Amino acid sequence: MNISKVNTLVYLDTMIVFIGALVWTGLPLYFFEMTGSYFYAGSMYLIGGFSFILSNIVSNYLFKVLSKYTAKFFIITLSILTIVSFFALNKQLFNIMFCLMLAFQFFINGLSFILESGFNMYLSNQPHKDIAYRNMFLLSAKTIGFFSGPILFIFIGEEMYLFFLMFFVALLVYEYLYPIVPRLKIESISLKNVGIFKKTPKSYLFIMFIDGMFLPIVMNYSFIILKETFSVSDLTVSLFWLIGGVSVLLGNLLIRRIDIKKIHSRVYFIMIFLIFGLILMILAPNSSLFLIGFFILTLINPLFMSLIKSSFLVFFDPNYRSIALAGMNTLNQLGTILIITVITFMLEGSKFFNIHYIIPLCLCIGVIRFLILKNILKRGVQ
Protein backbone atom coordinates (compact mmCIF):
# COMPACT_ATOMS: atom_id res chain seq x y z
CA MET A 1 0.00 0.00 0.00
CA ASN A 2 1.35 3.43 -0.91
CA ILE A 3 1.72 6.36 1.47
CA SER A 4 -1.30 8.18 0.07
CA LYS A 5 -3.51 5.17 0.84
CA VAL A 6 -2.18 4.99 4.40
CA ASN A 7 -2.85 8.70 4.83
CA THR A 8 -6.40 8.20 3.52
CA LEU A 9 -6.98 5.66 6.29
CA VAL A 10 -5.79 8.22 8.83
CA TYR A 11 -7.81 11.10 7.39
CA LEU A 12 -11.07 9.16 7.27
CA ASP A 13 -10.49 7.77 10.75
CA THR A 14 -9.99 11.36 11.90
CA MET A 15 -13.46 12.30 10.70
CA ILE A 16 -15.01 9.23 12.34
CA VAL A 17 -13.28 10.04 15.63
CA PHE A 18 -14.46 13.66 15.35
CA ILE A 19 -18.10 12.57 15.23
CA GLY A 20 -17.53 10.16 18.12
CA ALA A 21 -15.98 13.00 20.15
CA LEU A 22 -18.94 15.28 19.52
CA VAL A 23 -21.33 12.63 20.83
CA TRP A 24 -18.98 11.58 23.63
CA THR A 25 -18.89 14.99 25.30
CA GLY A 26 -22.06 16.58 23.98
CA LEU A 27 -24.68 14.04 25.00
CA PRO A 28 -23.52 13.48 28.62
CA LEU A 29 -23.66 17.22 29.33
CA TYR A 30 -26.97 17.46 27.48
CA PHE A 31 -28.37 14.61 29.60
CA PHE A 32 -26.97 16.14 32.80
CA GLU A 33 -28.52 19.51 31.97
CA MET A 34 -31.87 17.85 31.27
CA THR A 35 -31.98 15.39 34.20
CA GLY A 36 -29.32 16.37 36.79
CA SER A 37 -28.51 12.65 37.14
CA TYR A 38 -24.98 11.30 37.62
CA PHE A 39 -26.10 8.12 35.91
CA TYR A 40 -27.02 9.94 32.73
CA ALA A 41 -23.83 12.01 32.93
CA GLY A 42 -21.69 8.89 33.24
CA SER A 43 -23.63 6.91 30.69
CA MET A 44 -21.34 7.60 27.75
CA TYR A 45 -18.32 5.87 29.27
CA LEU A 46 -20.39 2.88 30.34
CA ILE A 47 -22.12 2.55 27.00
CA GLY A 48 -18.97 3.43 25.10
CA GLY A 49 -17.00 0.82 27.01
CA PHE A 50 -19.41 -2.03 26.30
CA SER A 51 -19.81 -1.05 22.65
CA PHE A 52 -16.05 -0.64 22.22
CA ILE A 53 -15.39 -4.21 23.41
CA LEU A 54 -18.11 -5.67 21.22
CA SER A 55 -17.10 -3.65 18.18
CA ASN A 56 -13.45 -4.70 18.48
CA ILE A 57 -14.35 -8.39 18.55
CA VAL A 58 -17.04 -8.29 15.85
CA SER A 59 -15.17 -5.87 13.60
CA ASN A 60 -12.05 -8.01 13.76
CA TYR A 61 -14.04 -10.98 12.47
CA LEU A 62 -15.84 -8.97 9.77
CA PHE A 63 -12.57 -7.40 8.67
CA LYS A 64 -11.20 -10.89 8.11
CA VAL A 65 -14.09 -12.46 6.17
CA LEU A 66 -15.89 -9.46 4.64
CA SER A 67 -13.16 -6.87 4.14
CA LYS A 68 -14.62 -5.87 0.77
CA TYR A 69 -18.05 -5.09 2.20
CA THR A 70 -17.57 -4.37 5.91
CA ALA A 71 -17.08 -0.60 5.57
CA LYS A 72 -20.23 -0.24 3.46
CA PHE A 73 -22.25 -2.20 6.01
CA PHE A 74 -21.01 -0.05 8.90
CA ILE A 75 -21.61 3.23 7.06
CA ILE A 76 -25.16 2.30 5.98
CA THR A 77 -26.02 1.20 9.51
CA LEU A 78 -24.64 4.43 10.98
CA SER A 79 -26.77 6.42 8.55
CA ILE A 80 -29.90 4.59 9.73
CA LEU A 81 -28.97 5.06 13.40
CA THR A 82 -28.47 8.80 12.98
CA ILE A 83 -32.01 9.14 11.59
CA VAL A 84 -33.56 7.13 14.43
CA SER A 85 -31.48 8.96 17.07
CA PHE A 86 -32.65 12.31 15.71
CA PHE A 87 -36.29 11.44 16.31
CA ALA A 88 -35.64 9.76 19.70
CA LEU A 89 -33.71 12.75 21.02
CA ASN A 90 -36.34 15.12 19.65
CA LYS A 91 -38.95 13.32 21.76
CA GLN A 92 -36.58 13.15 24.78
CA LEU A 93 -36.84 9.38 24.89
CA PHE A 94 -33.73 8.99 27.07
CA ASN A 95 -34.22 5.29 27.79
CA ILE A 96 -34.41 4.52 24.08
CA MET A 97 -31.41 6.77 23.51
CA PHE A 98 -29.32 4.45 25.68
CA CYS A 99 -29.92 1.60 23.22
CA LEU A 100 -29.30 3.88 20.26
CA MET A 101 -26.13 5.26 21.83
CA LEU A 102 -24.88 1.72 22.38
CA ALA A 103 -25.50 0.84 18.73
CA PHE A 104 -24.13 4.16 17.42
CA GLN A 105 -20.92 3.88 19.42
CA PHE A 106 -20.61 0.22 18.41
CA PHE A 107 -20.56 1.05 14.72
CA ILE A 108 -18.49 4.22 15.13
CA ASN A 109 -15.86 2.26 17.07
CA GLY A 110 -16.10 -0.63 14.62
CA LEU A 111 -15.46 1.55 11.58
CA SER A 112 -12.56 3.24 13.35
CA PHE A 113 -11.19 -0.20 14.31
CA ILE A 114 -11.21 -1.30 10.67
CA LEU A 115 -9.28 1.80 9.63
CA GLU A 116 -6.79 1.42 12.48
CA SER A 117 -6.25 -2.26 11.69
CA GLY A 118 -5.29 -1.32 8.15
CA PHE A 119 -2.89 1.29 9.50
CA ASN A 120 -1.28 -1.10 12.00
CA MET A 121 -0.28 -3.46 9.22
CA TYR A 122 2.40 -0.97 8.24
CA LEU A 123 4.07 -0.05 11.53
CA SER A 124 7.78 0.70 11.17
CA ASN A 125 10.65 -0.27 13.50
CA GLN A 126 9.79 2.87 15.51
CA PRO A 127 6.13 2.04 16.22
CA HIS A 128 5.71 4.73 18.88
CA LYS A 129 6.40 7.38 16.23
CA ASP A 130 3.91 5.85 13.77
CA ILE A 131 1.27 5.72 16.50
CA ALA A 132 2.06 9.30 17.50
CA TYR A 133 1.67 10.40 13.84
CA ARG A 134 -1.80 8.88 13.68
CA ASN A 135 -2.64 10.19 17.14
CA MET A 136 -1.83 13.78 16.12
CA PHE A 137 -4.65 13.72 13.57
CA LEU A 138 -7.08 11.84 15.77
CA LEU A 139 -6.33 13.96 18.82
CA SER A 140 -6.83 17.12 16.80
CA ALA A 141 -10.25 15.78 15.87
CA LYS A 142 -10.96 14.87 19.50
CA THR A 143 -9.81 18.30 20.66
CA ILE A 144 -12.18 20.11 18.32
CA GLY A 145 -14.95 17.59 18.99
CA PHE A 146 -14.56 17.66 22.78
CA PHE A 147 -14.49 21.46 22.77
CA SER A 148 -17.46 21.96 20.46
CA GLY A 149 -19.57 18.94 21.51
CA PRO A 150 -21.07 20.46 24.69
CA ILE A 151 -21.76 23.78 22.99
CA LEU A 152 -23.29 22.27 19.87
CA PHE A 153 -25.54 19.81 21.67
CA ILE A 154 -26.75 22.44 24.16
CA PHE A 155 -27.58 24.98 21.46
CA ILE A 156 -28.39 22.75 18.47
CA GLY A 157 -29.59 19.57 20.19
CA GLU A 158 -30.90 16.70 18.12
CA GLU A 159 -30.22 18.50 14.83
CA MET A 160 -26.57 17.52 15.26
CA TYR A 161 -27.55 14.10 13.96
CA LEU A 162 -28.64 15.63 10.64
CA PHE A 163 -25.06 16.85 10.11
CA PHE A 164 -23.79 13.37 10.94
CA LEU A 165 -26.16 11.94 8.36
CA MET A 166 -24.80 14.23 5.65
CA PHE A 167 -21.26 13.02 6.37
CA PHE A 168 -22.19 9.32 6.34
CA VAL A 169 -24.03 9.67 3.02
CA ALA A 170 -20.99 11.41 1.49
CA LEU A 171 -18.68 8.73 2.94
CA LEU A 172 -20.85 5.96 1.49
CA VAL A 173 -20.58 7.52 -1.97
CA TYR A 174 -16.81 7.74 -1.54
CA GLU A 175 -16.62 4.12 -0.37
CA TYR A 176 -18.41 2.90 -3.51
CA LEU A 177 -16.05 4.89 -5.74
CA TYR A 178 -12.81 4.23 -3.84
CA PRO A 179 -12.95 1.28 -1.38
CA ILE A 180 -11.54 2.45 1.93
CA VAL A 181 -9.89 -0.72 3.18
CA PRO A 182 -8.52 -3.28 0.67
CA ARG A 183 -8.34 -6.99 1.29
CA LEU A 184 -5.52 -7.63 3.78
CA LYS A 185 -4.16 -10.94 4.97
CA ILE A 186 -4.95 -10.82 8.67
CA GLU A 187 -5.99 -13.29 11.33
CA SER A 188 -9.31 -12.94 13.12
CA ILE A 189 -10.24 -13.69 16.70
CA SER A 190 -10.95 -17.34 17.40
CA LEU A 191 -10.43 -19.74 20.29
CA LYS A 192 -7.24 -20.89 18.60
CA ASN A 193 -5.84 -17.41 18.00
CA VAL A 194 -6.68 -16.11 21.46
CA GLY A 195 -3.84 -18.36 22.62
CA ILE A 196 -1.31 -15.91 21.20
CA PHE A 197 -1.83 -13.75 24.29
CA LYS A 198 -0.15 -16.44 26.37
CA LYS A 199 3.24 -15.17 25.25
CA THR A 200 2.41 -11.65 26.40
CA PRO A 201 3.82 -10.78 29.86
CA LYS A 202 1.00 -10.63 32.41
CA SER A 203 2.21 -7.22 33.56
CA TYR A 204 1.34 -5.83 30.10
CA LEU A 205 -2.17 -7.22 30.29
CA PHE A 206 -2.69 -5.87 33.79
CA ILE A 207 -1.33 -2.40 33.07
CA MET A 208 -3.71 -1.97 30.14
CA PHE A 209 -6.59 -2.94 32.41
CA ILE A 210 -5.40 -0.38 34.98
CA ASP A 211 -4.82 2.22 32.26
CA GLY A 212 -8.51 2.01 31.38
CA MET A 213 -9.33 3.11 34.92
CA PHE A 214 -7.13 6.20 34.89
CA LEU A 215 -7.87 8.94 32.36
CA PRO A 216 -11.59 8.14 31.78
CA ILE A 217 -12.28 9.03 35.43
CA VAL A 218 -10.77 12.46 34.97
CA MET A 219 -12.37 13.06 31.59
CA ASN A 220 -15.85 11.92 32.63
CA TYR A 221 -16.17 13.61 36.02
CA SER A 222 -14.00 16.75 35.87
CA PHE A 223 -16.67 18.73 34.05
CA ILE A 224 -19.13 17.79 36.83
CA ILE A 225 -16.60 18.93 39.44
CA LEU A 226 -16.24 22.21 37.56
CA LYS A 227 -20.02 22.60 37.50
CA GLU A 228 -20.75 21.68 41.11
CA THR A 229 -17.65 23.04 42.89
CA PHE A 230 -16.89 26.17 40.89
CA SER A 231 -20.28 26.80 39.21
CA VAL A 232 -18.64 27.38 35.83
CA SER A 233 -20.47 28.14 32.59
CA ASP A 234 -20.94 25.75 29.69
CA LEU A 235 -18.25 27.72 27.85
CA THR A 236 -15.75 26.85 30.59
CA VAL A 237 -16.70 23.18 30.26
CA SER A 238 -15.92 23.41 26.55
CA LEU A 239 -12.65 25.15 27.44
CA PHE A 240 -11.88 22.18 29.68
CA TRP A 241 -12.16 19.81 26.69
CA LEU A 242 -10.12 22.19 24.52
CA ILE A 243 -7.31 22.38 27.07
CA GLY A 244 -7.24 18.62 27.44
CA GLY A 245 -7.17 18.06 23.69
CA VAL A 246 -4.42 20.61 23.06
CA SER A 247 -2.22 19.23 25.85
CA VAL A 248 -2.62 15.62 24.65
CA LEU A 249 -1.77 16.76 21.13
CA LEU A 250 1.36 18.50 22.40
CA GLY A 251 2.29 15.35 24.30
CA ASN A 252 2.13 13.31 21.09
CA LEU A 253 4.14 15.91 19.20
CA LEU A 254 6.81 15.49 21.86
CA ILE A 255 6.74 11.71 21.44
CA ARG A 256 7.26 12.10 17.69
CA ARG A 257 10.54 13.93 18.33
CA ILE A 258 12.23 11.69 20.88
CA ASP A 259 13.52 8.14 20.93
CA ILE A 260 11.43 5.76 23.01
CA LYS A 261 14.47 4.75 25.09
CA LYS A 262 14.97 8.32 26.27
CA ILE A 263 11.55 8.19 27.87
CA HIS A 264 12.62 5.16 29.93
CA SER A 265 15.36 7.09 31.72
CA ARG A 266 12.99 9.92 32.62
CA VAL A 267 10.08 7.86 33.89
CA TYR A 268 10.45 9.09 37.50
CA PHE A 269 10.55 12.71 36.35
CA ILE A 270 7.46 12.11 34.21
CA MET A 271 5.58 10.60 37.15
CA ILE A 272 6.41 13.58 39.38
CA PHE A 273 4.81 15.91 36.83
CA LEU A 274 1.76 13.65 36.59
CA ILE A 275 1.30 13.63 40.38
CA PHE A 276 1.79 17.39 40.50
CA GLY A 277 -1.03 17.90 37.99
CA LEU A 278 -3.40 15.68 39.98
CA ILE A 279 -2.55 17.32 43.31
CA LEU A 280 -3.13 20.74 41.76
CA MET A 281 -6.58 19.60 40.63
CA ILE A 282 -7.37 18.26 44.13
CA LEU A 283 -6.26 21.41 45.98
CA ALA A 284 -7.30 24.00 43.39
CA PRO A 285 -9.23 26.88 45.04
CA ASN A 286 -10.65 28.02 41.69
CA SER A 287 -11.42 26.71 38.22
CA SER A 288 -8.31 28.30 36.66
CA LEU A 289 -5.85 26.27 38.77
CA PHE A 290 -8.02 23.18 38.28
CA LEU A 291 -7.68 23.59 34.50
CA ILE A 292 -3.91 24.14 34.79
CA GLY A 293 -3.59 20.89 36.72
CA PHE A 294 -5.70 19.15 34.09
CA PHE A 295 -3.43 20.53 31.35
CA ILE A 296 -0.32 19.13 33.06
CA LEU A 297 -1.97 15.76 33.59
CA THR A 298 -3.11 15.33 29.99
CA LEU A 299 0.23 16.61 28.64
CA ILE A 300 2.20 13.90 30.46
CA ASN A 301 -0.21 10.96 30.24
CA PRO A 302 0.45 10.20 26.50
CA LEU A 303 4.04 9.27 27.41
CA PHE A 304 2.75 6.42 29.56
CA MET A 305 0.18 5.38 26.98
CA SER A 306 2.77 5.35 24.19
CA LEU A 307 5.11 3.10 26.16
CA ILE A 308 2.30 0.67 26.87
CA LYS A 309 0.69 0.52 23.43
CA SER A 310 3.78 0.45 21.23
CA SER A 311 5.53 -2.17 23.35
CA PHE A 312 2.47 -4.40 23.27
CA LEU A 313 1.86 -4.27 19.52
CA VAL A 314 5.42 -5.15 18.50
CA PHE A 315 5.08 -8.50 20.29
CA PHE A 316 2.90 -9.64 17.40
CA ASP A 317 3.44 -10.40 13.76
CA PRO A 318 1.68 -7.81 11.51
CA ASN A 319 -0.94 -10.40 10.49
CA TYR A 320 -1.96 -10.77 14.14
CA ARG A 321 -1.98 -7.09 15.10
CA SER A 322 -5.71 -6.65 14.60
CA ILE A 323 -6.18 -9.42 17.21
CA ALA A 324 -3.64 -7.71 19.47
CA LEU A 325 -5.45 -4.39 19.03
CA ALA A 326 -8.80 -5.99 19.88
CA GLY A 327 -7.35 -7.63 22.98
CA MET A 328 -5.63 -4.46 24.11
CA ASN A 329 -8.74 -2.33 23.64
CA THR A 330 -10.91 -4.92 25.38
CA LEU A 331 -8.74 -4.94 28.50
CA ASN A 332 -8.64 -1.16 28.53
CA GLN A 333 -12.40 -0.83 28.25
CA LEU A 334 -13.03 -3.51 30.89
CA GLY A 335 -11.05 -1.34 33.30
CA THR A 336 -13.11 1.69 32.29
CA ILE A 337 -16.42 -0.14 32.67
CA LEU A 338 -15.48 -1.45 36.10
CA ILE A 339 -14.34 1.86 37.58
CA ILE A 340 -17.17 3.95 36.08
CA THR A 341 -19.78 1.44 37.26
CA VAL A 342 -18.39 1.43 40.81
CA ILE A 343 -18.14 5.22 40.96
CA THR A 344 -21.64 5.72 39.51
CA PHE A 345 -23.28 3.46 42.10
CA MET A 346 -21.27 5.02 44.92
CA LEU A 347 -22.22 8.55 43.87
CA GLU A 348 -25.88 7.63 43.56
CA GLY A 349 -26.23 5.39 46.61
CA SER A 350 -23.45 6.02 49.15
CA LYS A 351 -23.57 8.73 51.81
CA PHE A 352 -19.82 8.51 52.39
CA PHE A 353 -18.58 8.98 48.83
CA ASN A 354 -18.95 12.18 46.84
CA ILE A 355 -17.60 13.81 43.70
CA HIS A 356 -14.57 15.25 45.55
CA TYR A 357 -13.08 11.79 46.16
CA ILE A 358 -12.74 10.98 42.46
CA ILE A 359 -9.48 12.81 41.65
CA PRO A 360 -7.72 11.40 44.76
CA LEU A 361 -8.88 7.95 43.61
CA CYS A 362 -7.37 8.69 40.22
CA LEU A 363 -4.10 9.59 41.94
CA CYS A 364 -3.99 6.17 43.63
CA ILE A 365 -4.67 4.42 40.33
CA GLY A 366 -1.96 6.49 38.63
CA VAL A 367 0.63 5.44 41.20
CA ILE A 368 -0.29 1.76 40.74
CA ARG A 369 0.01 2.13 36.97
CA PHE A 370 3.43 3.75 37.36
CA LEU A 371 4.72 0.96 39.61
CA ILE A 372 3.68 -1.68 37.08
CA LEU A 373 5.26 0.27 34.22
CA LYS A 374 8.46 0.74 36.18
CA ASN A 375 8.66 -3.03 36.64
CA ILE A 376 8.16 -3.56 32.89
CA LEU A 377 10.90 -1.09 31.99
CA LYS A 378 13.23 -2.57 34.62
CA ARG A 379 12.91 -5.99 32.99
CA GLY A 380 13.67 -4.44 29.64
CA VAL A 381 10.68 -5.95 27.83
CA GLN A 382 10.30 -4.40 24.36
Side-chain angles (χ1 to χ4, degrees), residues 71-144:
K72 294 183 181 68
F73 171 70
F74 274 61
I75 297 169
I76 291 172
T77 305
L78 282 168
S79 300
I80 296 173
L81 287 172
T82 55
I83 296 173
V84 178
S85 296
F86 168 77
F87 288 106
L89 201 59
N90 181 263
K91 300 297 183 180
Q92 296 188 3
L93 303 175
F94 294 121
N95 292 332
I96 295 178
M97 275 302 299
F98 277 121
C99 298
L100 293 174
M101 287 163 60
L102 175 62
F104 189 82
Q105 287 298 317
F106 172 87
F107 286 99
I108 280 286
N109 293 331
L111 185 56
S112 181
F113 176 86
I114 292 171
L115 296 171
E116 185 177 0
S117 294
F119 176 82
N120 284 338
M121 291 289 293
Y122 303 95
L123 293 177
S124 69
N125 58 358
Q126 288 283 321
H128 71 288
K129 292 187 177 181
D130 299 330
I131 293 170
Y133 167 76
R134 175 179 174 274
N135 283 346
M136 285 190 298
F137 286 94
L138 268 62
L139 289 170
S140 296
K142 286 183 178 180
T143 299
I144 299 172

Side-chain angles (χ1 to χ4, degrees), residues 327-339:
M328 180 177 64
N329 290 339
T330 297
L331 285 169
N332 196 265
Q333 291 301 314
L334 284 174
T336 300
I337 290 171
L338 176 62
I339 196 67

